[in-house]
Amino acid sequence: MELLKGLPLRRTFLAVILNLLALTLSTTALLGSYWCTGTQKVPKPLCGKSKASQCVGVPMPSDEDTSNVSSEDTVHYSWETGDDRFAFRYFHTGMWLSCEESMEGPEEKCRSFIELSPPAERGILWLSLGSEMLYISLLLISFILLMVEILHTGNPVCGMKLNAFAAVSSVLSGLLGMVAHMMYTQVFQATVNLGPEDWRPHTWDYGWAFYMAWASFTCCMASAVTTLNTYTKTILEFKRNHIKGYDGTLKDHPQHHQCFIQQISSYYEPKGKVFHSVSEGVDFYTDLQQKILQREPELDLDEVLGQTIGEDRC
């Protein structure tokens, strides 16, 4: 029975680690605002007392000139031309927020990305957010099932059922995550072309949260494959052992292991096995009842049947 204790357990531990890694990466990516990063081309503000850099310098008239010329007639000249009049500020965007570098101070200015996206694309963005949350929820369900399988080792049959449900949950969550990531990419590209003028990026690229989300998808599918492989490999191993000729000595193993092997083996009975008829089964139980009643005449018929059935059960 090393098969029940060794290989499946190690594979389940590997699936749990991959699932937990996928859950951590996906949650971090969803809450982060670095799915896409880049620069925005904005006009430089006028230089003043509070700002002396990244601004447009304007020559101020002397005190003697200002006494003779009114403020309305003062002409301001700027020697900034071309791209010198513009600044390139850094921005980063996630599923929830889009934050931009402030030209007036060190703090950032954040806006809701849902409000920045075009009205025609907001439905797709909400669908992407819902799929991402459902992706994380299914990952959590799969993680719980795998942990229950590891902790509840008393019944291998239940463990294999939990293993199969965890594999299905992981596959579904991976598909939902892939769809959510692709829909967000579509919405962001539409916002780049149709978004507000003061937000449209000059250059942009994908950030660390985007790559983290796809890494989470990869770990999720790897966990699903590992979990499903554990289930199918255990079934095939029992089938192979039965075909080779299982000796049937189960006295040294726990009762639930005996039941487990008998349940698996019942699916792979040899084709040449001769089945007894119903009448032969009735005669067998009749003879058995008579022998027991001869030894212990005080037993009822119901007690005899209960003893014989109890001996055949696992």
Side-chain angles (χ1 to χ4, degrees):
M1 299 302 291
E2 292 296 329
L3 178 65
L4 288 174
K5 298 180 181 179
L7 184 60
L9 190 60
R10 290 196 296 268
R11 290 177 179 271
T12 304
F13 271 118
L14 178 60
V16 168
I17 293 173
L18 290 172
N19 190 281
L20 182 60
L21 184 60
L23 184 62
T24 303
L25 292 176
S26 59
T27 305
T28 305
L30 178 63
L31 298 178
S33 59
Y34 285 86
W35 284 67
C36 298
T37 60
T39 57
Q40 296 171 334
K41 187 177 180 180
V42 295
K44 290 181 179 179
L46 297 177
C47 295
K49 295 180 180 180
S50 60
K51 188 170 184 61
S53 61
Q54 293 291 325
C55 59
V56 177
V58 178
M60 299 300 294
S62 61
D63 296 338
E64 296 179 356
D65 296 336
T66 53
S67 60
N68 299 326
V69 181
S70 63
S71 60
E72 295 180 357
D73 298 333
T74 302
V75 179
H76 300 280
Y77 295 94
S78 173
W79 301 104
E80 304 283 350
T81 58
D83 287 342
D84 294 335
R85 296 181 294 108
F86 295 94
F88 297 90
R89 66 184 180 187
Y90 173 79
F91 82 99
H92 53 90
T93 303
M95 283 193 167
W96 302 99
L97 295 175
S98 176
C99 297
E100 308 153 7
E101 179 185 2
S102 177
M103 303 302 296
E104 300 177 355
E107 66 278 354
E108 291 183 337
K109 176 185 177 183
C110 295
R111 291 182 283 180
S112 174
F113 182 71
I114 299 175
E115 298 178 357
L116 293 173
S117 60
E121 302 291 334
R122 290 178 184 174
I124 300 178
L125 181 58
W126 279 112
L127 187 60
S128 175
L129 287 169
S131 299
E132 193 74 24
M133 292 180 181
L134 189 58
Y135 164 59
I136 295 176
S137 301
L138 288 175
L139 273 178
L140 182 60
I141 292 174
S142 178
F143 175 76
I144 294 174
L145 291 175
L146 290 173
M147 290 301 299
V148 171
E149 179 189 356
I150 292 177
L151 298 176
H152 183 68
T153 57
N155 193 338
V157 176
C158 294
M160 292 184 65
K161 291 179 181 179
L162 291 172
N163 197 281
F165 282 123
V168 173
S169 179
S170 297
V171 171
L172 291 178
S173 63
L175 295 177
L176 285 172
M178 179 182 65
V179 172
H181 303 160
M182 295 176 65
M183 286 192 296
Y184 175 79
T185 304
Q186 175 186 346
V187 173
F188 181 82
Q189 292 177 351
T191 308
V192 169
N193 298 324
L194 304 175
E197 291 287 345
D198 63 337
W199 179 86
R200 293 182 188 178
H202 180 67
T203 58
W204 65 275
D205 198 359
Y206 295 110
W208 57 264
F210 180 82
Y211 296 111
M212 186 176 289
W214 281 107
S216 171
F217 165 76
T218 304
C219 293
C220 172
M221 297 307 296
S223 175
V225 171
T226 304
T227 306
L228 190 60
N229 181 263
T230 303
Y231 178 82
T232 55
K233 191 173 181 63
T234 305
I235 295 295
L236 293 177
E237 284 290 334
F238 274 105
K239 180 179 179 181
R240 187 186 66 179
N241 293 337
H242 186 81
I243 292 175
K244 285 183 177 180
Y246 194 77
D247 57 1
T249 57
L250 303 175
K251 297 180 180 179
D252 299 333
H253 302 292
Q255 185 73 13
H256 57 268
H257 287 173
Q258 300 177 23
C259 296
F260 180 63
I261 294 176
Q262 292 176 9
Q263 290 175 17
I264 297 297
S265 301
S266 63
Y267 291 99
Y268 306 106
E269 293 292 341
K271 297 182 179 179
K273 182 177 180 180
V274 179
F275 293 94
H276 298 283
S277 63
V278 177
S279 60
E280 291 176 350
V282 173
D283 295 339
F284 169 76
Y285 276 102
T286 303
D287 295 340
L288 181 62
Q289 293 168 14
Q290 292 176 356
K291 291 180 180 179
I292 295 176
L293 289 174
Q294 290 175 0
R295 288 185 302 172
E296 300 179 3
E298 68 276 3
L299 292 178
D300 296 334
L301 181 61
D302 293 337
E303 295 180 356
V304 173
L305 292 176
Q307 290 180 1
T308 56
I309 294 175
E311 292 175 356
D312 293 337
R313 284 186 179 177
C314 292

